Amino acid sequence: PSPVVACHGCRVLTVACRPEMRDSDASRAAAGRGGAIEAVAAVMSEFPCDGAVQAEGAAALAALCRNSLPNKERAAGLGAVGLLEIAFDSAGGGARVHAAAALTSLSVDPTVMTAMREP
């Protein structure tokens, strides 16, 4: 795809998986099973010097992996940490913020977060 198409695809994933969206957990799970993480990793790898792709890809990974152990494991297996390091190091401010958020999302244990939210 072109960088523009890659950006838009990543943005759609980010929006669909936002916690405030209805059924975001189901969307996150379905996207993970459907190959969204692989697609995001592929475009981040294909356009390593495009700051917009890196920012949108990192935001999508953060959204996809938030509180989802299967998605975190899938992303880790695809080398997401290395991709996020590249995004953080090679792109501008927006990509850095999203890469840091994605790294945080990958590192937080969803079981702990679930226990913290339960009354």
Side-chain angles (χ1 to χ4, degrees):
S2 74
V4 173
V5 171
C7 284
H8 287 296
C10 289
R11 173 62 61 100
V12 167
L13 289 168
T14 301
V15 171
C17 296
R18 283 188 180 153
E20 63 270 15
M21 298 298 287
R22 194 177 86 209
D23 297 328
S24 65
D25 289 340
S27 295
R28 191 176 300 115
R33 287 190 308 271
I37 296 166
E38 291 83 353
V40 171
V43 298
M44 289 180 76
S45 294
E46 187 173 343
F47 303 107
C49 297
D50 189 307
V53 172
Q54 295 302 306
E56 295 295 344
L61 285 176
L64 287 161
C65 293
R66 185 178 295 117
N67 298 329
S68 173
L69 187 57
N71 286 358
K72 288 175 194 238
E73 290 173 344
R74 183 173 283 118
L78 292 167
V81 171
L83 291 172
L84 293 167
E85 288 174 349
I86 291 168
F88 188 87
D89 290 340
S90 65
R96 284 180 174 231
V97 169
H98 292 302
L103 287 166
T104 300
S105 195
L106 282 168
S107 68
V108 175
D109 184 343
T111 308
V112 172
M113 294 305 293
T114 301
M116 289 173 62
R117 285 185 296 206
E118 292 177 357

